[in-house]
Amino acid sequence: MFYDALAITHGLALDSCKALVAPRPIGWISTLGKNGVVNLAPYSFFNAVSEDPHFVMFASGGRKDSQRNAEETGEFVCSLATYDLREAMTKTSAAVGPDVDEMRLAGLTPAPSRLVKPPRVADSPVAFECRYWRTIELPGRDGAPSGHAIVLGQVVGVHIADEAIVDGKVDVTLLKPIARLGYGDYAVIDKVFTLSRPGAGDRGASQ
Ligand SMILES: Cc1cc2nc3c(=O)[nH]c(=O)nc-3n(C[C@H](O)[C@H](O)[C@H](O)COP(=O)(O)O)c2cc1C
């Protein structure tokens, strides 16, 4: 089938686009409100976008607390959502007021970050400490502002659980990150395969 994505002529029960761009990594974004309260929420419009230096992005459908806090305080942290933490991860997607500490609400433990003020999720084996860089507002189908926006941050610190490092490399099968598929579905990374990249040398092997 083909459909016009702006006219939304697919005729399916649900929009399939998010199910087709899958799996999407989940950035579990912690921020501090101006009131000092810890905010934590999952974002699957999330990815690494550059590596020298490292930048990550998450995209917000409306100016939610994570976007507002990152913009107002200039900092955010992305912890890794793993299979063991899946239930806590969904709990932190609840729409609660800015006065509620979502880390504690989900029974998680905050750990202090080194270079930024928002805490990371201590229960998670990986976290990126980020300095907010800028927000890119996205247009709607009519070209007017849609309220959807991409929030970009520079990674300034990386936490990795020592147990996940084997022979100098991160073993992702020990981390078991979860990723978002379409609808209510998720995937877990518990199996990997390796491909060598012709002519790319050692650097290619690491990308
Ligand atoms: C796995 C998962 C991924 C999500 N991804 C996004 C996303 O990419 N963008 C978004 O705006 N909301 C996303 N949400 C919904 C937010 O987590 C939810 O609206 C949350 O309440 C936002 O919290 P905040 O206002 O504290 O930032 C996602 C929810 C789940 C469970």
Side-chain angles (χ1 to χ4, degrees):
M1 68 177 286
F2 169 83
Y3 69 92
D4 180 324
L6 295 182
I8 315 183
T9 56
H10 52 67
L12 301 170
L14 294 167
D15 184 4
S16 58
C17 268
K18 282 168 78 176
L20 298 172
V21 185
R24 295 185 308 285
I26 298 171
W28 208 3
I29 310 294
S30 49
T31 52
L32 284 179
K34 279 202 293 193
N35 55 4
V37 174
V38 177
N39 191 87
L40 178 68
Y43 283 78
S44 74
F45 287 139
F46 168 80
N47 225 312
V49 293
S50 178
E51 64 175 339
D52 186 19
H54 290 276
F55 276 80
V56 294
M57 54 77 52
F58 66 93
S60 191
R63 195 163 183 257
K64 299 180 180 180
D65 293 343
S66 305
Q67 178 187 349
R68 197 195 56 244
N69 291 348
E71 290 171 350
E72 288 181 354
T73 66
E75 297 177 335
F76 63 92
V77 174
C78 313
S79 296
L80 190 71
T82 64
Y83 190 73
D84 290 346
L85 297 171
R86 64 195 183 282
E87 297 294 346
M89 184 278 299
T90 55
K91 275 188 195 152
T92 63
S93 71
V96 294
D99 51 330
V100 177
D101 179 330
E102 287 155 330
M103 215 176 283
R104 295 211 185 274
L105 181 75
L108 296 161
T109 310
S113 295
R114 299 271 185 101
L115 303 173
V116 299
K117 289 195 191 67
R120 64 190 169 91
V121 176
D123 319 66
S124 172
V126 173
F128 298 118
E129 299 185 12
C130 300
R131 291 217 175 94
Y132 168 77
W133 182 54
R134 69 175 51 155
T135 300
I136 300 173
E137 304 284 347
L138 299 173
R141 279 185 272 146
D142 58 0
S146 65
H148 291 249
I150 299 172
V151 178
L152 286 151
Q154 184 178 18
V155 178
V156 293
V158 181
H159 298 260
I160 308 170
D162 293 334
E163 314 81 76
I165 300 174
V166 180
D167 296 333
K169 295 201 305 189
V170 174
D171 184 339
V172 75
T173 62
L174 297 175
L175 299 173
K176 294 198 170 34
I178 52 172
R180 194 76 173 88
L181 305 175
Y183 318 113
D185 299 336
Y186 292 81
V188 57
I189 298 175
D190 53 7
K191 199 163 84 179
V192 300
F193 63 90
T194 305
L195 283 179
S196 61
R197 199 171 139 193
D202 290 345
R203 187 169 160 75
S206 70
Q207 284 183 326

